[in-house]
Amino acid sequence: MTTVRSRFAPSPTGYLHIGGARTALFAYLYAKQQRGTFILRIDDTDRQRSTPEYLEEVLDALRWLGLDWDEGPYFQSRRYGLYQEAADRLLREGKAYRCYCSAAEVEAKRQAALAAGRKPVYDGTCRAYQPPPGDTRPFALRFKGPKEGETVVEDLIKGQVVFQNSELDDLIIVRSDGTPIYNFCSVVDDTLLGITHIVRGDDHLANTPRQILLFQALGAELPGFAHLPLILGNDRAPLSKRHGATAVRSYREQGYLPDALVNFLARLGWAAGDQEIFSRAELIEKFRLEEVGKSAGIFNAEKLQWLNSHYLKERLLAQLVQEVKPFIVQKGYPLPTDDEWLARALATLQTRAKTLSELVELAHFYLSDEFTLEAKAASKFLTPTIFPLLRRLRARLATVSVWTEQEIEHVFASVMEEEQLKLGQIAQPVRVALTGGTASPGIFEVMVVLGKERTLARLDRVLPVSAASPPPPQS
């Protein structure tokens, strides 16, 4: 039985986008599900646009997503000798030929074909041309493809797709400056690396018949092909920046968790019944390339948020503490030095946030004493009639020796009983004083996390010097 060897082959000409990440994920899952090998190859033959910075971004995004490769990365820019050797072999065997047509001549032929209503394929001028001895003109190498019959792609997702060979022009495999082209390099690499399955986007399908012919010319065994449908926005248009972020790094910077994004990407075009939440192990166990749908996947940002909130709720606090720290620094808050305290603070907010970034925003009143009271909340709940009650509560809290929820609740209960009040009538003014607004975790939880000293100081901050004085302006 042939061992599955799949690959992901990004070009380091930009950030890893959502479509590329899904391709990498599906190739990874298929290899793992089949107990095969997942290979990373870097298609960096575009020397002008490929940069070390983009390469590191791609590698970092793959690592963050947890798509660890078993082999590689292999760099096409370091394998030119292999491509030249393969091209020379095709030329010797009469499966390639020298084309002396200039770029201007080829363009003129293309325009003439379009004007005549024909498909703008190369007309084969040099296909049988024999240059005179000593000819020093520059030339490109073209693959001599068959002009009769058809090439069939047996796609694992799309089914059988048939191409007429008469509509496939003689592909340039090496440019006149000696650089090999992508389609040729890809076939040579897939052959030498023993790739058994090529998982890639639907936009590569048009390249596939030419690549199949190249595989056959090189005497290589054909890999299986699986062309993934496009990812569309909610308006059914191809996913683009107008639908929101398209790069993996953008979602990382917004505070999404890699497990959530992987789960979301897996469900873009693939399903296993009605199940929505998958662990990594479940994805590997249940994923089947043959079950990927033929129709486009719809990118639903709300669903991604829902998934991320689920994974946030399930996160171990010790892990969440480390993951949230960069966002605390990014938002300009001093980084807490006590991880146990930070864990307690995050525990009160963990079920409320959709992203790590939002989690830090919700935790603003824990992370800094410098916050502004919401004007509407302050005017409603911090009124002159409430100040005597807050003074009494503050005095009672100051006597608490063991600062626990139970002891704090006991103080509130005693004041409420004396004043014949309900919890909301006293808790809401306190909540506004301590957090700046009317929405927060349970007030007793908040007070325990803040600690006695900070709690009393914040009550003091909103209490006027005298009952007739307005509260001091808030920063």
Side-chain angles (χ1 to χ4, degrees), residues 107-128:
E107 178 60 22
K109 294 173 188 292
R110 196 181 76 86
Q111 293 297 336
L114 288 172
R118 302 191 309 273
K119 193 170 182 177
V121 297
Y122 178 66
D123 63 1
T125 297
C126 296
R127 190 176 171 97

Side-chain angles (χ1 to χ4, degrees), residues 8 24 47 96-97 117 120 162 185 215 264 314 330 337 388 398 418 458:
F8 179 54
R47 297 178 181 179
Y97 61 91
V162 179
C185 297
F215 276 114
F264 177 75
E314 299 294 316
Q330 177 187 336
T337 56
E418 293 169 7
R458 290 188 185 186

Side-chain angles (χ1 to χ4, degrees), residues 66-114:
L67 304 183
D68 302 320
W69 50 95
D70 302 306
E71 282 187 24
Y74 297 99
F75 294 86
Q76 286 191 331
S77 60
R78 303 172 188 175
R79 298 166 64 85
Y80 276 16
L82 299 173
Y83 310 138
Q84 188 60 56
E85 183 180 330
D88 290 343
R89 175 185 155 195
L90 292 181
L91 184 62
R92 287 195 311 270
E93 295 176 356
K95 298 173 182 176
Y97 61 91
R98 296 181 177 91
C99 177
Y100 291 88
C101 297
S102 66
E105 289 171 329
V106 172
E107 178 60 22
K109 294 173 188 292
R110 196 181 76 86
Q111 293 297 336
L114 288 172

Side-chain angles (χ1 to χ4, degrees), residues 354-423:
K354 296 184 181 68
T355 65
L356 293 171
S357 181
E358 185 181 12
L359 183 58
V360 172
E361 291 172 4
L362 292 174
H364 71 280
F365 59 84
Y366 288 138
L367 299 170
S368 174
D369 294 321
E370 301 299 322
F371 59 85
T372 303
L373 300 180
E374 294 176 11
K376 187 176 179 180
S379 64
K380 181 177 179 179
F381 292 104
L382 299 179
T383 62
T385 57
I386 202 67
F387 293 146
L389 179 64
L390 288 183
R391 288 184 188 281
R392 190 172 304 117
L393 179 71
R394 191 253 186 242
R396 297 271 182 90
L397 290 171
T399 66
V400 175
S401 57
V402 183
W403 195 253
T404 64
E405 286 188 43
Q406 184 177 5
E407 292 299 319
I408 294 169
E409 186 176 2
H410 179 72
V411 169
F412 271 71
S414 64
V415 173
M416 288 159 52
E417 183 178 1
E418 293 169 7
E419 300 293 331
Q420 296 296 298
L421 298 173
K422 294 181 179 179
L423 179 60

Side-chain angles (χ1 to χ4, degrees), residues 18 20 26 64 88 116 120 165-166 194 199 224 248 255 281 292 296 311 402 447 455:
I18 290 296
F26 282 18
W64 180 70
D88 290 343
N165 290 336
S166 59
V199 181
V248 170
V292 174
Y311 280 96
V402 183
M447 293 171 72
T455 296

Side-chain angles (χ1 to χ4, degrees), residues 295-357:
S295 57
I298 305 301
F299 191 95
N300 187 322
E302 289 75 21
K303 186 172 182 178
L304 175 57
Q305 279 195 342
W306 171 78
L307 274 170
N308 204 64
S309 65
H310 165 80
Y311 280 96
L312 269 177
K313 291 173 187 174
E314 299 294 316
R315 215 66 164 175
L316 294 174
L317 278 172
Q319 185 176 5
L320 193 59
V321 163
Q322 301 309 317
E323 290 172 328
V324 85
K325 285 181 178 180
F327 294 89
I328 293 175
V329 174
Q330 177 187 336
K331 291 185 181 295
Y333 295 115
L335 189 63
T337 56
D338 185 344
D339 282 0
E340 290 186 9
W341 175 85
L342 183 55
R344 293 198 302 274
L346 296 180
T348 68
L349 299 165
Q350 191 173 6
T351 62
R352 295 168 173 257
K354 296 184 181 68
T355 65
L356 293 171
S357 181

